[in-house]
Amino acid sequence: MWQELRQELRPKGLEVVTVALDVGGEAAAGPWIDLAKPEHPSLIDEAHILDELLGVVNVPTGVWVDEEGVIVRPPEPAFPGRAVIAELGLPEGAPARIAEMLTEAAKMHVDPSRYAAAVRDWAEHGSASRFALAPEDVVERSRPNSPEVSEAAASFELAQALQRSGNTEDAVRWFREAHRLQPDNWTYKRQAWELVDPVLQGPSEQYEGDWLSDVRAIGAENYYPPVDL
């Protein structure tokens, strides 16, 4: 998705940097990056520093940074051009749960063409684009950190450290605590679920929730908040 838009708008000065958030690092995220064959910078954030600093709670999320290094749009759902998930067919022999997950994903409210049009306008007009926000508007739209959110970040960081050191049982406790403190943070949830079940993120002994059950609980249409364009 991003590669196509980047190729189109690179002559106008747009650069795209994608960041995979995965405590598994290159071993977990590298094959997916290689499969995409990106021509733009593609990074791996195995410490989840980006989501901690910017308040990213789900993927895909986009942040617009101008040529001066100033954020002109804070984190928001970012689908540039096509809702690829809606185009995926069911692989032959795939588990029934995959079909259920794709069915729920197809119900999610996204507007790729409108978002891509906003990116094109920004590439064309720069700071004069109506989609490039003033600093005070960026601050207004940014997620405030409640004590619970700050505690969730600390719990998630501790869980990652324990996971990397091989203390997986202890890590589960702190992943669960991060989920309890910030239940709408899908980045925290998906990371923990993927460590147990990388493909299906299904029910497990370690965690109360799973991707399909939790999405159905909130309604797939609420998985991504509306993008204010």
Side-chain angles (χ1 to χ4, degrees), residues 159-160 162-163 167-176 207:
Q160 292 180 78
L162 289 166
Q163 180 71 33
N167 296 298
T168 55
E169 291 186 10
D170 291 332
V172 167
R173 171 192 172 190
W174 291 102
F175 279 131
R176 288 170 63 102
Y207 300 104

Side-chain angles (χ1 to χ4, degrees), residues 21-24 45-52 56 148-164 170-179 181-182 185-193 195 207:
L21 307 172
D22 202 311
V23 71
D45 180 2
E46 62 181 279
H48 285 260
I49 293 172
L50 187 70
D51 40 318
E52 179 181 346
V56 174
E148 291 78 14
V149 168
S150 296
E151 289 179 35
S155 297
F156 187 72
E157 186 171 347
L158 177 56
Q160 292 180 78
L162 289 166
Q163 180 71 33
R164 282 192 289 269
D170 291 332
V172 167
R173 171 192 172 190
W174 291 102
F175 279 131
R176 288 170 63 102
E177 182 66 1
H179 299 172
L181 289 164
Q182 194 179 6
N185 192 316
W186 290 91
T187 300
Y188 290 172
K189 289 181 175 182
R190 291 174 61 174
Q191 178 64 91
W193 295 336
L195 290 170
Y207 300 104

Side-chain angles (χ1 to χ4, degrees), residues 193-205:
W193 295 336
E194 286 174 3
L195 290 170
V196 177
D197 185 349
V199 177
L200 300 179
Q201 299 177 38
S204 68
E205 295 179 356

Side-chain angles (χ1 to χ4, degrees), residues 47-119:
H48 285 260
I49 293 172
L50 187 70
D51 40 318
E52 179 181 346
L53 293 177
L54 297 181
V56 174
V57 298
N58 208 342
V59 294
T61 287
V63 180
W64 294 12
V65 182
D66 69 13
E67 60 271 28
E68 302 298 327
V70 176
I71 294 175
V72 296
R73 289 193 75 86
E76 60 192 351
F79 287 85
R82 305 196 322 272
V84 174
I85 193 70
E87 301 174 9
L88 293 176
L90 185 63
E92 184 177 352
R97 187 176 181 86
I98 291 289
E100 295 180 74
M101 293 171 72
L102 290 176
T103 296
E104 293 303 316
K107 299 176 185 177
M108 294 173 182
H109 289 176
V110 296
D111 193 348
S113 60
R114 192 160 174 249
Y115 186 83
V119 175

Side-chain angles (χ1 to χ4, degrees), residues 1 5 7 20 35 55 59 73 80 92 100 106 121 184 195 214:
M1 298 186 296
L5 196 62
Q7 288 173 344
L35 187 64
V59 294
R73 289 193 75 86
E92 184 177 352
E100 295 180 74
D121 188 89
D184 65 341
L195 290 170
D214 282 25

